[in-house]
Amino acid sequence: MEPKELRPIVAGLFTRARRRTVQVAVEQEFLVADSTTGAVVPIERVRQAAAAATATPYVGFEPGGQLELSLPCTTDPVTQVCTLTDDLQRHLAADHISIYALPVDPRPEHEVPLQLVTPRYVAMHRHFDSIGPAGRRMMRRTASTQVCLDWWPGRAGAEQWRVLNLAGPFLAAAFARSSGPHGRLTTWLDTDPARTGFDDRLLYGDDPVAAYTDFAAGATVFTTGGPVEHLTTLFPPVRPRSTYLEVRFLDVQEPHAIGEVVSALTSLVYDDDRRRTALRALEPERAHLADHWRSAAAGDAATAARGHELVPEVELVA
């Protein structure tokens, strides 16, 4: 796709907020299984079982039937996620359905089919299959905790974008709950590097819109919905969402542990001194980001230790 088609739409993804706010929203994914047989549960059955739950307005699904809670902004994400999850689990249990905060589904691939068969997902599945097995594993058998953070105007907003991208591999390693060849992060790294960008391509030059436009233009087009739909098929570790930034690089966390994730991310993004200190330390690593992501995916202890150093007052998961 031509950069000139993409750039005005990409620019809209980088508009940023008009003032500084410090809101947080969490998107929490879960694997789903029949609590009696362990089998995959059809999405419609999950919908019906969850119909009376308090969390129902926030329930969505990933291609393999993973359940996602896309929650509104709050000052207390741990209480929010735990309360809604507990209530949701009670309703699902009545229909013998369980949900699990596991980053990779232990069930074999043939037992976890593609449940969302919209043209977009079918085309995506076909494209990823042309590269290797990681794409179908990513779509159908992985789960993440994603954190959405307010994106500020001016210099601070530019710093937020850079620090999250630069700190990504280290924080991913610090919070990792899977690693190795079949870990969640390895799966993402192997899915389609041209549309995931787990290297320094998103930080090229001084114009993030230009860098992101080039990234988008370099990814294979497999949908028919034009540039807007094409941009939805990109999966960078940090996604620009106009007025907020969506952190996507974390393994799914247990609900009670989400506060540690939020504390680490907000301390980097919303604290001017810490953000700038981290940037000074991380900028020399930009050219080595691809190596750092691979080290994080492999479970490298030194990479995880660097994540601890970035937010020393936050007690990270070992």
Side-chain angles (χ1 to χ4, degrees):
M1 188 164 290
E2 291 297 319
K4 64 182 180 181
E5 297 179 79
L6 292 163
R7 185 177 174 97
I9 304 167
V10 171
L13 300 178
F14 281 80
T15 53
R16 295 185 270 169
R18 295 182 179 180
R19 60 189 180 90
R20 292 189 177 204
T21 51
V22 291
Q23 300 178 103
V24 178
V26 171
E27 299 173 10
Q28 176 78 352
E29 297 174 351
F30 295 98
L31 304 182
V32 182
D34 185 291
S35 54
T36 302
T37 66
V40 166
V41 181
I43 286 174
E44 191 52 40
R45 179 180 156 198
V46 180
R47 285 190 198 277
Q48 292 176 5
T54 307
T56 297
Y58 313 119
V59 169
F61 295 90
E62 293 298 309
Q66 308 97 311
L67 186 149
E68 180 180 49
L69 292 178
S70 297
L71 300 174
C73 294
T74 179
T75 57
D76 188 357
V78 176
T79 298
Q80 181 192 59
V81 173
C82 288
T83 300
L84 291 175
T85 299
D86 288 346
D87 179 66
L88 178 62
Q89 286 180 316
R90 284 193 294 272
H91 284 83
L92 295 178
D95 194 28
H96 306 287
I97 299 170
S98 298
I99 55 176
Y100 304 95
L102 294 176
V104 181
D105 198 324
R107 293 171 294 194
E109 178 185 304
H110 70 272
E111 294 183 11
V112 187
L114 182 70
Q115 291 207 51
L116 297 181
V117 289
T118 63
R120 176 177 174 273
Y121 281 128
V122 170
M124 187 182 299
H125 205 274
R126 185 181 302 116
H127 169 73
F128 288 148
D129 277 353
S130 72
I131 297 171
R136 58 172 55 201
R137 186 162 66 244
M138 177 274 285
M139 290 179 68
R140 289 154 40 182
R141 297 173 55 215
T142 62
S144 174
T145 294
Q146 299 167 19
V147 181
C148 300
L149 302 160
D150 284 341
W151 197 0
W152 294 347
R155 172 190 171 189
E159 293 170 349
Q160 288 176 316
W161 170 250
R162 292 191 74 83
V163 79
L164 286 173
N165 278 283
L166 289 166
F170 307 108
L171 293 178
F175 287 109
R177 300 182 63 229
S178 65
S179 62
H182 299 293
R184 177 189 165 276
L185 185 52
T186 302
T187 297
W188 277 91
L189 293 175
D190 293 343
T191 291
D192 180 0
R195 68 187 342 100
T196 56
F198 282 89
D199 52 24
D200 66 330
R201 73 184 69 191
L202 299 180
L203 302 177
Y204 286 172
D206 297 323
D207 182 355
V209 173
Y212 203 89
T213 299
D214 288 343
F215 163 58
T220 301
V221 178
F222 56 74
T223 59
T224 59
V228 172
E229 186 174 47
H230 175 62
L231 288 170
T232 70
T233 70
L234 306 179
F235 304 103
V238 181
R239 178 180 275 170
R241 300 297 295 264
S242 187
T243 58
Y244 65 94
L245 291 167
E246 182 182 73
V247 175
R248 301 175 50 84
F249 52 70
L250 298 165
D251 281 355
V252 68
Q253 306 294 303
E254 291 289 352
H256 64 81
I258 286 173
E260 296 169 354
V261 173
V262 171
S263 294
L265 292 172
T266 55
S267 69
L268 276 181
V269 169
Y270 296 148
D271 184 313
D272 289 344
D273 291 337
R274 173 159 289 165
R275 184 177 64 250
R276 288 164 188 167
T277 298
L279 274 174
R280 286 193 294 271
L282 291 170
E283 282 289 2
E285 305 294 337
R286 198 204 79 187
H288 307 291
L289 268 185
D291 294 332
H292 293 317
W293 280 115
R294 282 289 170 189
S295 294
D300 179 63
T303 306
R306 187 73 178 274
H308 289 255
E309 293 169 2
L310 288 171
V311 280
E313 290 111 52
V314 178
E315 185 180 349
L316 299 184
V317 176

